[in-house]
Amino acid sequence: MARYKDIFDMIEYATDERCSNRLLAFAKVRHTVRSGPLAAQSAPRQLVNRFCSVAPENQSKGLWCLDLLQMCSLHAGDAFVLALNSQDRLNDLLNVFLNPVKSRLISLQIHLKIMSLFQTWSTDYKNFSANNFERAYERLVRGPAMPNVDTLQNSHWLPDRDVFGNSIEENRYNLQDFVSELTTEHKQQHAELAMIFQMVSGLQNSGQDSSSRDEKKFSDACKRTLEIRREVDASKAFWNDVSRNLTDRPQNLEEMASTVQTVFESMDQSIRCCLDVLNINPKAKEQPESSRKDDVKPDTGFEYGGRSVEPKIQTSTHASSKVKFCS
């Protein structure tokens, strides 16, 4: 569980000039925010506080804070968005623009970026029972004369460009480090899925009546498998967003994309093995994040960690078949 100070340090580093690989730092913040509800609730407040403290004096830091805020709203999970959709958080953010003294210290680019964000949030989350984003956007529109958001040429969250598309980073991002950060967690989850499969198979093959403890284990296994599937779907959306929109692309991007694809395919097959042994409909209990489209290739067999993980069907002595989990 991430501590408040850990989240603060990560946000500060990700939005500071001394950060050597900002894309990697953004990915680490995303991973931490998704790690639990406390991190998701704490991060919006810390990000807004960071923005309010640096934006009047440093345009680049202010833009990076807004980029990170935008990235988290897209890729850090629903809990982050719900925490951001707080009157206190949004009022703190608005105060920088609606306070005449503070507003004069904010650059045109930051004004454009925040207008674009509130406009997007008010639309994307219009179905919220309490859409504070929409109210905040209305306050911005009714406030002092604001720049025309149509002049904004770059509305993406990737932190290597400003709102006019100009480069604001001196160092090229090391995309390989980003790929390692993105895939390491799923390699750990793959081992977790193998344990789930073995545990459930053992319970089913024991030949004994299930106890309440066994039923609890089975229920927890179902829940965790679906959670991992949701995390994998979210990572696919995150990777697709980065790989499609990164301006300065490395020459070996195709090779790295293949590596990421292999991990995703491995996870998909492992998840299907667990869903099958748990007797869960693959379309059951879908979460909102799981509905995002991705470009996953058809299942054709693959290597995971240098070993084959192509699914195998083991026919039993009965008419039914069992999926064999291969690690």
Side-chain angles (χ1 to χ4, degrees):
M1 181 182 298
R3 299 177 303 170
Y4 185 96
K5 181 64 165 54
D6 296 332
I7 300 173
F8 174 85
D9 290 342
M10 295 178 72
I11 290 174
E12 182 181 43
Y13 180 69
T15 57
D16 194 85
E17 286 104 337
R18 61 190 172 90
C19 182
S20 59
N21 190 344
R22 204 170 311 282
L23 182 59
L24 174 62
F26 272 37
K28 288 181 178 294
V29 172
R30 170 189 173 272
H31 174 74
T32 300
V33 173
R34 294 189 69 93
S35 66
L38 294 180
Q41 293 171 12
S42 172
R45 178 175 57 183
Q46 296 198 54
L47 258 173
V48 170
N49 289 344
R50 170 70 172 169
F51 169 79
C52 293
S53 67
V54 301
E57 299 177 356
N58 190 305
Q59 174 178 278
S60 294
K61 288 183 179 181
L63 288 174
W64 288 327
C65 287
L66 295 179
D67 288 337
L68 187 54
L69 200 60
Q70 181 182 4
M71 185 277 290
C72 286
S73 71
L74 290 169
H75 298 296
D78 295 337
F80 177 89
V81 178
L82 290 172
L84 180 61
N85 184 43
S86 155
Q87 286 188 351
D88 290 339
R89 297 291 78 73
L90 298 181
N91 284 340
D92 290 342
L93 201 55
L94 286 175
N95 188 46
V96 176
F97 301 93
L98 299 182
N99 183 309
V101 176
K102 294 182 179 180
S103 181
R104 284 195 292 269
L105 301 175
I106 300 298
S107 71
L108 170 64
Q109 290 206 41
I110 291 178
H111 275 97
L112 285 169
K113 181 75 174 182
I114 198 66
M115 282 290 290
S116 173
L117 286 181
F118 273 108
Q119 186 180 61
T120 300
W121 290 336
S122 66
T123 302
D124 288 352
Y125 305 111
K126 62 183 179 182
N127 294 327
F128 276 18
S129 57
N131 189 348
N132 292 316
F133 294 122
E134 186 174 15
R135 298 189 184 98
Y137 178 61
E138 291 173 352
R139 287 183 60 194
L140 270 180
V141 174
R142 294 196 306 265
M146 299 296 286
N148 184 359
V149 74
D150 292 336
T151 62
L152 184 145
Q153 300 176 30
N154 173 38
S155 60
H156 201 271
W157 61 264
L158 281 169
D160 58 338
R161 296 287 187 271
D162 63 20
V163 300
F164 298 129
N166 302 313
S167 176
I168 55 175
E169 293 278 35
E170 294 182 0
N171 300 321
R172 187 175 188 176
Y173 296 146
N174 186 333
L175 198 59
Q176 185 60 59
D177 289 344
F178 170 80
V179 168
S180 297
E181 171 69 21
L182 187 64
T183 57
T184 296
E185 177 189 7
H186 296 315
K187 292 177 181 178
Q188 297 169 349
Q189 290 172 343
H190 182 270
E192 188 176 353
L193 289 170
M195 293 177 62
I196 289 174
F197 183 90
Q198 293 169 3
M199 182 271 292
V200 174
S201 297
L203 291 176
Q204 292 177 340
N205 296 330
S206 65
Q208 301 177 358
D209 293 336
S210 61
S211 64
S212 58
R213 178 178 296 180
D214 291 341
E215 291 176 358
K216 178 65 164 55
K217 290 181 179 179
F218 190 87
S219 175
D220 290 344
C222 292
K223 179 181 178 181
R224 182 56 183 152
T225 300
L226 292 171
E227 286 176 349
I228 291 176
R229 181 176 66 174
R230 185 169 65 248
E231 289 301 312
V232 173
D233 287 343
S235 290
K236 291 175 185 176
F238 188 41
W239 166 252
N240 288 337
D241 194 3
V242 171
S243 60
R244 291 170 181 169
N245 292 285
L246 191 64
T247 304
D248 191 4
R249 301 187 175 197
Q251 293 182 346
N252 62 337
L253 177 61
E254 186 174 342
E255 179 182 345
M256 284 187 279
S258 177
T259 299
V260 174
Q261 187 66 42
T262 297
V263 173
F264 286 155
E265 289 176 345
S266 174
M267 291 300 298
D268 285 342
Q269 294 214 28
S270 298
I271 290 167
R272 280 196 296 273
C273 287
C274 286
L275 292 177
D276 188 83
V277 76
L278 289 164
N279 197 26
I280 301 176
N281 185 327
K283 296 182 179 180
K285 299 183 180 180
E286 288 287 352
Q287 298 294 327
E289 291 178 359
S290 302
S291 63
R292 294 173 180 167
K293 296 181 179 180
D294 49 71
D295 296 329
V296 180
K297 298 177 183 177
D299 299 326
T300 56
F302 46 85
E303 294 288 315
Y304 192 100
R307 293 175 293 174
S308 173
V309 288
E310 185 172 353
K312 300 177 182 178
I313 303 299
Q314 178 180 355
T315 305
S316 68
T317 56
H318 303 286
S320 61
S321 298
K322 297 179 181 179
V323 175
K324 183 179 180 181
F325 189 99
C326 300
S327 59

